[in-house]
Amino acid sequence: MSSRPSDGTRLASHGAASLTIEPADVAIIGAGVVGCAIARALALEGLSVVLIERGRDILSGASKANSAILHTGFDAPTGSVELRAMQAGYDEYLAIHESLNLPLWKTGAHVVAWTETEVAKLDAIVAKARANGVADVARIEVAELSRREPALARGALGAVQVPREFLIDPWSAPLAYALQAMAHGARVLRDAAVTAARFDGDGWVIETSRGMVRASVVVNAAGLFGDHVEALARTSPFAIRPRRGQFLVYDKPAAALMQSILLPVPNERTKGIVLCRTVYGNLLVGPTAEEVDERENATTTEDQLRMLREVAETRLPALRDIQITATYAGLRPATERQDYVVEAVPDRRWITACGIRSTGLTASLGVAAMVRALYASHFGPPRPVPTPHLIRMPNLAEDRPRGIDGPAPGAIICHCEGVTRREIEAALIGPLPAADLGGLKRRTRVMMGRCQGFYCAAQVAALAPKLVTP
Amino acid sequence: MSAERDVVVIGGGPTAAGAVRALARKGRRDVIVLERESEAGGIPRHCGHTGYGVAEYGRLMPGPNFARRLAAELGAGADLRRRHTVRRLQPDGQLSVVGPEGSYELRARAVLLATGARETPRSARLVGGIRAPGIMTTGTLQQLVYLQGARPVRRVVIIGTEVVSFSAILTCRHAGIEIAAMIGEGFRTLARWPAHLVSRHAFGVSVLRGAHLEAIEGGSTVTGVRLRLASGQTRVIACDGVIFTGKFRPETALLADHPGLVDPGSRGPSIDQFRRLELPGYFAAGNLVHPVETAGRCFRDGMAAGEAIADHLAGVLPPLGDTRLIRAAGAIRSLYPQRLAGEGMAPIHFQVTEEVRGKLEIRLDGTLIWSRPRHYLAERRHTIPPWRLAGRHFAEAEVRIA
Ligand SMILES: Cc1cc2nc3c(=O)[nH]c(=O)nc-3n(C[C@H](O)[C@H](O)[C@H](O)COP(=O)(O)OP(=O)(O)OC[C@H]3O[C@@H](n4cnc5c(N)ncnc54)[C@H](O)[C@@H]3O)c2cc1C
Ligand SMILES: Cc1cc2nc3c(=O)[nH]c(=O)nc-3n(C[C@H](O)[C@H](O)[C@H](O)COP(=O)(O)OP(=O)(O)OC[C@H]3O[C@@H](n4cnc5c(N)ncnc54)[C@H](O)[C@@H]3O)c2cc1C
């Protein structure tokens, strides 16, 4: 990527027609959960927004694979930008989720110690939580833990409860943010990689693979490519160090084995292997934490998958008899710093929202609020819209009625996940239709179940031929 | 609650068709078949190649033709409801069903589970590497090729050497997909392939035995597979598709609420010789009980289940509670029936985890009554004839390969 194209040059666009769009107040580069949340926040400020994404669909980067936990920040670095963003994001999610029809599973979490060394760390965990303002974190008796989680293996030596760690739908939430932004005029350009950008003193001319976009201010929310995009404005003050996390997903019967989120005692580098349900009714085990060079197409490795299975079966022995439905890996956009990078470069009319490493699903709304404040203090006063348009997301969570539970559901296409033809058709139309198979899966859950397409592949192919066999 | 029906069959594949034929012969007409797909017929719907129908309809035919014959037979002998999915089993033959018009409850004096089996996908095998289109099971490949007329990949590596792997070869040949190699983790081809078809079609496919699939390589598409060969060397084979074949698992989603009814060995329901589950009124047959069999065998198993259900409705089966247990041990992965009711005997079928040369031993209540050294191949059905146990009294039998 060159940061200074010669004036007037046009980079080859990949087949797609060059687009002409109105100059915008703000161009956001990257439609991960952070970019989507920023688009929402700025559109609700009455700003004209363009959200630019290189993937065929939104959520093509870090945001496509995570543990879906809404964190309290009880164990985050005290005093960090990350903690502030998480807590603001947490509060805002609680405030808006019902109006967007997004789920919230109030499961709570338990940090469980299995060795004496780990027990020794529990009081420090409680103390840190208190310092972080999460006052309801406390030690509980092992007997109480066993009462709450009877399927858990014996041998726990101590436990801390974190009552307000919750679970959410990691894909419907950012989609709702993007759709709400669009309802307020935001445009979303997908399949549009930013390849270069030129600052002319008043604003930016951004070259994308689909044509040129003009904007007065640019927000860098490019996740795993944050440092590359940052180099368009300045020498990047940070470097992305992707950290991979691999997961196992167990079939639905496993979800009955656990109520809360099971957290291990963290070490310096990672929170360790978590066991938790998903709002889709599965059980998730992971993530690993591995420094890798890959920035896209996260790969799994057999040895780590086997390790995860061993941890899972050690903690919840009943998992031995339950099938693994899926395996996947995600990449955290970590940097060499121990914190996020959320700052403005006023003389370049640029805002950076990068290094949103392992907590961005929670923090996204908080980061968006910070970006809104940076915009207001450097680039112009807010003009908030009087009444936000509300978006009602189709429910994908198991605890509330879905399409299949309705009065006349029509044809069911995916039997493992109970997805109707109507739901699939709905995901293929509208302001932000699914643009690849992953996008269709994230919007409907089709093919995400135990058979992984054995039964439904042909019907999905018939409904969305371009997405299935590109 | 709706009126009680005689029989509900869940699933509309070969097993269901066999049951409906047997029930019709016994004069049982109050039979409902619930099939969740838009067409009945089960797996053969998308097995475009030939290999079906000789025993049932008197001639060899391709899967889709066979499926149409099955569907016709189901429609004639029962109230066939397509696009009706059973979502939950409750005691006393009470079922929660969802159809295109909505959800409803159904109750029957006998319920036959005939939901079949599916192949184990890549994920459950813990194979590392990328995730991309082009990685699929034989079932998915067949649907794309035979039902959609698609050619989703150009050059594949086929994982597995079971009968269904042979089906994958035929499907690739049909669609003009090149087969780069076939990988067998073991050193022997697991399937006893139909010789007349092998000589015609499988010739020329190189089978790499004892190779381990380490990872699937590529970016947003597959570019190859990395193998660890028996020699310890690593080898990359270029391909844009990986077909995972076989390792069938019973489709037991309906038993999720009833874990106690599932045999951890076969992963299907545990049954007695009348194909009864331990839940009164419920029966199971076909691939659901013992994956994986041919369609013809499933049809016959369905017929046997249909006959048992007719006897159940007539009230002539021995009580459900009074059973002797048959347990698998040692190298035996699974066996069925897992229980024998009343005084009767039945053949005991078993499968081994992997190819083994060992002594088959039968113990009755701890006492060794029979043993014989033999060689057992994996993925095949081995049978202990009923007279081996006949005339003996016991509470529990153990079948072991030592
Ligand atoms: C294993 C794992 C577990 C996690 N668990 C949790 C959790 O439980 N709770 C939680 O709160 N958080 C969790 N996270 C963290 C969370 O997923 C991330 O913090 C978040 O997804 C980061 O979002 P982002 O928008 O900054 O980055 P991304 O999602 O990577 O978004 C950046 C986008 O920019 C696009 N882009 C890049 N370059 C360009 C370009 N040149 N032109 C146009 N577009 C471009 C990319 O395609 C991408 O879509 C987890 C993360 C991982 C990996
Ligand atoms: C790729 C492949 C190739 C094969 N090739 C051959 C061959 O050449 N020759 C041969 O003899 N055999 C072949 N077989 C095996 C043969 O197809 C099966 O043994 C046979 O179809 C099993 O019959 P079944 O009725 O038990 O199950 P299935 O055929 O699987 O039928 C089960 C039915 O139950 C329905 N169902 C499941 N759950 C529910 C529910 N909850 N509610 C309602 N309906 C439900 C399903 O939709 C399905 O239609 C092949 C199998 C595969 C996968």
Side-chain angles (χ1 to χ4, degrees):
Chain A
M1 184 186 299
S2 83
S3 54
R4 293 280 183 280
S6 56
D7 213 342
T9 23
R10 251 276 136 64
L11 296 174
S13 52
H14 301 304
S18 296
L19 61 150
T20 26
I21 63 167
E22 294 291 300
D25 293 330
V26 188
I28 301 162
I29 303 176
V33 64
V34 173
C36 292
I38 294 171
R40 170 183 175 273
L42 298 183
L44 289 177
E45 287 300 298
L47 298 171
S48 66
V49 171
V50 186
L51 180 58
I52 308 171
E53 168 57 47
R54 72 198 277 270
R56 284 175 66 182
D57 205 343
I58 67 167
L59 311 183
S60 289
S63 304
K64 74 176 163 198
N66 60 55
S67 323
I69 301 174
L70 192 70
H71 296 294
T72 54
F74 78 97
D75 55 353
T78 307
S80 61
V81 176
E82 180 175 18
L83 176 61
R84 235 182 340 119
M86 284 165 79
Q87 295 190 331
Y90 182 103
D91 291 344
E92 188 166 356
Y93 185 86
L94 261 57
I96 67 171
H97 78 95
E98 272 172 8
S99 67
L100 299 175
N101 199 34
L102 294 171
L104 178 69
W105 281 20
K106 299 190 172 183
T107 55
H110 293 104
V111 183
V112 179
W114 301 91
T115 64
E116 287 302 340
T117 325
E118 288 176 353
V119 173
K121 293 182 179 168
L122 292 180
D123 286 332
I125 290 173
V126 174
K128 180 168 198 181
R130 300 267 158 91
N132 288 356
V134 189
D136 54 2
V137 172
R139 300 269 307 245
I140 59 165
E141 295 298 321
V142 171
E144 175 61 15
L145 175 72
S146 309
R147 197 187 57 73
R148 293 180 191 176
E149 299 290 359
L152 201 61
R154 288 168 193 264
L157 298 178
V160 165
Q161 65 175 9
V162 191
R164 288 180 300 117
E165 293 278 296
F166 296 153
L167 296 174
I168 66 175
D169 176 343
W171 297 316
S172 297
L175 185 60
Y177 306 158
L179 287 169
Q180 201 178 18
M182 292 176 93
H184 286 278
R187 286 153 297 173
V188 179
L189 300 184
R190 293 176 291 179
D191 212 357
V194 171
T195 49
R198 180 162 42 88
F199 182 59
D200 64 11
D202 296 327
W204 288 89
V205 180
I206 302 159
E207 300 278 349
T208 79
S209 51
R210 287 184 57 197
M212 198 166 61
V213 178
R214 285 172 191 282
S216 158
V217 173
V218 170
V219 178
N220 173 10
L224 293 155
F225 291 92
D227 49 355
H228 292 190
V229 168
E230 193 71 8
L232 299 174
R234 55 172 171 166
T235 307
S236 179
F238 59 89
I240 294 293
R241 303 267 169 81
R243 211 185 305 138
R244 179 168 67 194
Q246 304 190 37
F247 289 100
L248 302 180
V249 184
Y250 279 86
D251 197 6
K252 298 195 186 292
L257 300 175
M258 281 235 323
Q259 291 306 307
S260 64
I261 301 162
L262 188 72
L263 305 169
V265 175
N267 59 34
E268 293 62 44
R269 226 159 41 90
T270 152
K271 290 186 175 169
I273 308 304
V274 178
L275 276 74
C276 65
R277 291 184 286 161
T278 70
V279 298
Y280 315 121
N282 296 311
L283 188 94
L284 197 66
V285 181
T288 59
E290 311 156 65
E291 311 285 337
V292 291
D293 287 332
E294 50 195 27
R295 292 188 186 226
E296 45 194 338
N297 300 318
T299 55
T300 51
T301 58
E302 188 182 356
D303 59 330
Q304 293 295 299
L305 296 177
R306 289 186 187 282
M307 180 277 289
L308 288 173
R309 185 170 64 184
E310 199 174 309
V311 171
E313 291 178 357
T314 310
R315 296 291 175 251
L316 278 184
L319 286 177
R320 273 184 207 129
D321 295 327
I322 298 180
Q323 194 200 323
I324 292 166
T325 290
T327 58
Y328 65 91
L331 297 167
R332 305 170 184 86
T335 68
E336 72 278 31
R337 306 188 182 186
Q338 291 304 310
D339 204 351
Y340 296 178
V341 184
V342 184
E343 61 195 34
V345 192
D347 59 340
R348 312 260 330 150
R349 302 186 70 78
W350 183 274
I351 298 174
T352 307
C354 287
I356 317 295
R357 40 192 197 156
S358 50
T359 48
L361 179 65
T362 306
S364 57
L365 294 168
V367 171
M370 290 175 178
V371 170
R372 180 175 57 207
L374 289 169
Y375 185 94
S377 61
H378 296 290
F379 307 120
R383 296 162 274 157
V385 299
T387 33
H389 301 303
L390 294 182
I391 304 291
R392 300 291 297 171
M393 295 304 291
N395 171 47
L396 298 182
E398 287 272 302
D399 61 330
R400 288 183 302 151
R402 296 175 47 205
I404 190 173
D405 304 303
I412 295 158
I413 301 296
C414 168
H415 300 292
C416 301
E417 294 296 318
V419 184
T420 65
R421 180 164 66 205
R422 212 172 292 143
E423 287 170 303
I424 295 171
E425 284 167 348
L428 295 170
I429 54 170
L432 203 52
D436 58 18
L437 187 57
L440 184 64
K441 290 176 172 181
R442 291 191 288 270
R443 281 171 183 76
T444 62
R445 304 220 21 87
V446 72
M447 294 173 81
M448 301 277 261
R450 59 185 81 81
C451 92
Q452 297 279 301
F454 179 86
Y455 292 116
C456 67
Q459 296 193 62
V460 176
L463 288 171
K466 292 207 194 74
L467 309 195
V468 175
T469 40
Chain B
M1 197 188 297
S2 56
E4 188 174 62
R5 309 296 296 258
D6 274 354
V7 185
V8 170
V9 180
I10 307 177
T15 303
V20 166
R21 184 181 286 185
L23 285 162
R25 284 184 182 162
K26 297 266 185 178
R28 290 289 171 183
R29 293 267 155 200
D30 186 20
V31 180
I32 299 177
V33 175
L34 302 171
E35 167 55 57
R36 64 189 183 183
E37 299 297 343
S38 60
E39 297 300 335
I43 299 271
R45 281 178 308 119
H46 54 72
C47 292
H49 53 75
T50 193
Y52 292 94
V54 177
E56 302 78 20
Y57 301 110
R59 63 189 176 82
L60 197 63
M61 58 180 94
N65 300 20
F66 180 61
R68 278 192 290 277
R69 298 290 290 266
L70 297 174
E73 183 156 4
L74 287 168
D79 170 7
L80 170 61
R81 301 184 186 174
R82 289 162 302 170
R83 288 212 182 284
H84 284 245
T85 308
V86 179
R87 297 184 77 190
R88 204 150 293 123
L89 309 182
Q90 289 154 53
D92 304 323
Q94 172 99 4
L95 307 173
S96 307
V97 188
V98 58
E101 308 307 323
S103 301
Y104 63 98
E105 304 274 302
L106 198 57
R107 223 180 111 149
R109 293 168 65 200
V111 177
L112 175 63
L113 308 184
T115 52
R118 59 189 144 81
E119 293 169 285
T120 299
R122 174 265 186 95
S123 49
R125 302 173 188 233
L126 301 187
V127 172
I130 61 155
R131 293 223 295 182
I135 304 171
M136 61 187 89
T137 54
T138 318
T140 302
L141 176 73
Q142 287 196 330
Q143 291 181 43
L144 294 173
V145 167
Y146 291 120
L147 300 182
Q148 292 300 308
R151 187 176 163 216
V153 284
R154 309 275 127 154
R155 180 182 152 92
V156 297
V157 167
I158 294 174
I159 312 299
T161 57
E162 301 178 30
V163 178
V164 63
S165 322
F166 178 71
S167 216
I169 295 179
L170 294 184
T171 309
C172 290
R173 291 278 152 92
H174 175 85
I177 297 166
E178 187 190 342
I179 299 164
M182 191 164 192
I183 313 298
E185 298 247 322
F187 286 92
R188 186 186 290 272
T189 303
L190 293 172
R192 209 184 279 128
W193 290 356
H196 64 290
L197 292 175
V198 173
S199 53
R200 264 217 315 265
H201 299 281
F203 188 75
V205 175
S206 83
V207 180
L208 282 172
R209 298 209 170 81
H212 177 71
L213 174 57
E214 280 194 337
I216 301 173
E217 301 191 331
S220 57
T221 55
V222 176
T223 59
V225 294
R226 194 174 71 233
L227 304 173
R228 195 171 58 242
L229 302 181
S231 62
Q233 288 171 313
T234 298
R235 176 165 157 200
V236 174
I237 298 181
C239 60
D240 69 349
V242 187
I243 312 300
F244 286 92
T245 67
K247 294 200 177 185
F248 280 84
R249 310 188 60 116
E251 175 67 354
T252 49
L254 287 172
L255 296 174
D257 299 338
H258 311 271
L261 301 178
V262 175
D263 171 5
S266 70
R267 295 170 167 144
S270 148
I271 57 168
D272 69 12
Q273 76 269 41
F274 303 105
R275 292 162 179 77
R276 291 183 295 185
L277 274 61
E278 276 167 297
L279 194 63
Y282 284 92
F283 295 72
N287 267 357
L288 170 66
V289 175
H290 36 93
V292 59
E293 302 281 4
T294 63
R297 220 190 129 78
C298 289
F299 190 97
R300 287 199 297 284
D301 201 43
M303 286 186 71
E307 279 154 23
I309 287 172
D311 288 345
H312 164 78
L313 295 174
V316 298
L317 291 188
L320 192 56
D322 174 23
T323 55
R324 292 153 292 160
L325 291 182
I326 318 289
R327 289 200 316 110
I332 297 185
R333 179 177 74 193
S334 64
L335 57 69
Y336 71 92
Q338 292 88 344
R339 289 171 290 122
L340 291 174
E343 292 298 307
M345 280 302 150
I348 310 290
H349 306 285
F350 68 87
Q351 287 191 329
V352 294
T353 315
E354 51 194 31
E355 182 176 347
V356 48
R357 235 173 257 282
K359 225 191 249 169
L360 179 69
E361 299 175 342
I362 301 176
R363 283 189 178 74
L364 300 182
D365 299 324
T367 312
L368 184 69
I369 59 143
W370 190 82
S371 93
R372 190 71 35 99
R374 254 187 69 183
H375 183 194
Y376 296 95
L377 297 178
E379 300 298 330
R380 305 224 176 140
R381 174 172 20 85
H382 307 279
T383 302
I384 299 170
W387 40 263
R388 188 85 65 218
L389 302 180
R392 300 192 182 250
H393 292 277
F394 61 94
E396 186 175 310
E398 183 191 85
V399 184
R400 166 192 293 274
I401 295 179

